[in-house]
Amino acid sequence: MSLFEKAGRKFEETKRSFTGGDDAEGDPEYVCRSCEKPVSEDYDHCPHCGDAAVEPVE
């Protein structure tokens, strides 16, 4: 399994955990691919880790 396949699977698992309703504030609309933390707005860079990896949760 390549590095990108592993990263993609981890991202999908994290996305599913966020959309599963576990979050007390409701489902987040965005998530950082790098640190895997929920983000409330569409930032250019993650407010948690600073990486430019914020994407919408589908």
Side-chain angles (χ1 to χ4, degrees):
M1 180 180 302
S2 76
L3 175 65
F4 293 109
E5 288 174 324
K6 288 180 185 177
R9 287 179 190 218
K10 183 65 176 170
F11 178 71
E12 287 298 320
E13 290 172 8
T14 302
K15 183 173 74 172
R16 281 190 216 111
S17 72
F18 287 135
T19 59
D22 295 32
D23 192 18
E25 297 177 9
D27 293 334
E29 294 184 28
Y30 301 92
V31 66
C32 176
R33 284 184 317 206
S34 183
C35 69
E36 302 175 357
K37 292 190 178 182
V39 181
S40 61
E41 298 177 22
D42 186 14
Y43 290 104
D44 289 331
H45 292 82
C46 176
H48 305 288
C49 69
D51 197 9
V54 175
E55 290 191 351
V57 174
E58 296 177 353

